[in-house]
Amino acid sequence: MPSDATPDPYSDPLAFGQRLQILRTRKGLTRDQLGGLMGKSAQWVKDLETGRRRTPRLEVILHLAEILRVRDLADLTGDQSVHVDLFTGPGHPRLPAVKAAVDAFPLATRREAPPAAHLQARLARAWAARHQAPNHRDVVGALLPDLIRDAQTAVRQADTGADRRAAQAALAEVYSLAQFFVAYQPDAALLWRVAERGLIAAQESEDPHAIGVAAWLAAQAHRDSGPAHFDAADEVNLQTLAFLQPLLPEADDDVLAVTGALTFEAGYTAARRGETGTAWRYWDQARAMADRLPADYYHPITSFSRAIMGAHAVTVAVELHQGGESVRQAAAADAATIPSRPRRARHRIEEARGYQLDGQPDAALATLDKAHEAAPETIKYNGYAKRIVLEETEAKSPARRRRASQLAVKLGLLAA
């Protein structure tokens, strides 16, 4: 994957030496102190941490784990087979069940489709849980398998064309929810299946809002794959904007909001290209659309609203590598007005990127702590956050190294 693609939190797994350094620093031990407790030298510890010395024998690892008070041996070794509660491979524990529901092909089923109102009520509860629960991936991951199966069944059992289109719109929304869960998980093929099925269901529904949401998510999937896919992101995005623009004079708030979200996404992609003028022009257009929405409006899927535009300005500045501007925009934005916990956490991560660009690593780490407080499952699967933390575990400042190491453990990076 290109270096300026969205960082993959599962790439470059931590080596034994990196894990040892993080755990030692978190414990507050110097290399000389750990070496003394092991009956070895500080140079021996350094050689282990830098990879100059091979991973030691099991009895030595166990002794290190005892000194460092490691609760799970896998945190030190990186061998997840040691951790009996963890399913094979990285990712969220509920990923296999969600994947099984997506991959199923239920041509014949005794399952009876729920009433449309019941399905919509469950979807509304699932979105509310995603925005409000700190462990939102766990909650949504538990709800998704049945939602996927029931929404698929509703499409197959629809009696009329209108019922089928409404069921397709609901199915498209379920796939949108699934894409939020699957994002940043170690299964790119699954992400694309979900995105493509969402697009197809949305097109079949003929519902402008469903089409806009599916396109918004598909454009993100393309853009996050790196520069080679930026043109595809723009193609999906701009074609959908051309479809929605004529509908805006009579559109409801939801269609206006998803159009605003797509407008900002075009600016986001331009910022990733380094096109400063274009990026800020699209941001200005999106802000004008946000200003047409009620002050307390908040789109339940894209988070588009007046409140989110400050966070979007931080993102544009960060992607343009404008450290000072991103810090100024962060000071102007009010994260407390963002009602969604994962979206608030994502904004904090973008702020942290800005602080790091501006040469303020301590502020970056403090901001990542706030992101963890808002939504631990957002920051845990974010590659940008991982990159900042791991860079600071090797900082010259002992205090900063220790803080970064403590944060690495808190974020669960040793289990990655």
Side-chain angles (χ1 to χ4, degrees), residues 4 30 135 142 215 236 281 335 338 369 385 391 397 413:
D4 50 355
T30 66
N135 59 331
V236 172
R281 175 169 56 84
I338 302 174
D369 258 326
E391 284 182 7
S397 164
L413 297 188

Side-chain angles (χ1 to χ4, degrees), residues 16 38 46 49 52 123 177 200 244 254 280 353 381 399 405 410:
F16 175 85
M38 289 292 298
K46 181 178 180 180
E49 292 181 349
R52 293 194 183 99
L123 260 172
L177 182 65
I200 293 169
L244 292 174
D254 287 347
W280 286 115
R353 293 176 67 196
Y381 297 102
S405 296
K410 186 189 293 186

